[in-house]
Amino acid sequence: MARVAPRGERLALCLAVPGRVGALVEEAGLRFAVVDFGGVRRRVCIETLPDVAPGSWVLVHAGIALQELDAAAAADALRLLADAAKADA
């Protein structure tokens, strides 16, 4: 359920960002992927998504892949993020 902030109050917001899976690696018995976020690469835990493969798109929050996306959904999410950044500038 969404909550509208009273005037002057700010709401906290959690954001998940789409990224493209590159190399898969295993560390300490856990599966990770190197995920590309528009040229920035980060290591992301993919334990929650056992079928993820290189080239897949994933939605990431706090270093954990939450959901696999198709290319169209990833493009839509990236477009929304770009629009939000423009509106905030």
Side-chain angles (χ1 to χ4, degrees):
M1 174 183 274
R3 182 173 80 85
V4 177
R7 286 186 190 191
E9 183 180 324
R10 291 186 171 225
L11 291 176
L13 174 70
C14 293
L15 181 65
V17 180
R20 191 158 203 168
V21 174
L24 303 180
V25 294
E26 189 171 318
E27 284 183 35
L30 296 174
R31 293 178 63 234
F32 290 88
V34 176
V35 177
D36 186 314
F37 300 95
V40 176
R41 291 180 180 88
R42 295 286 184 254
R43 189 180 64 138
V44 172
C45 180
I46 57 170
E47 280 293 314
T48 54
L49 302 173
D51 298 327
V52 161
S56 298
W57 286 92
V58 291
L59 197 57
V60 178
H61 172 69
I64 299 172
L66 302 175
Q67 178 181 348
E68 189 168 357
L69 302 172
D70 61 30
D76 287 345
L78 290 169
R79 193 170 23 263
L80 285 170
L81 289 169
D83 291 348
K86 288 177 192 171
D88 195 40

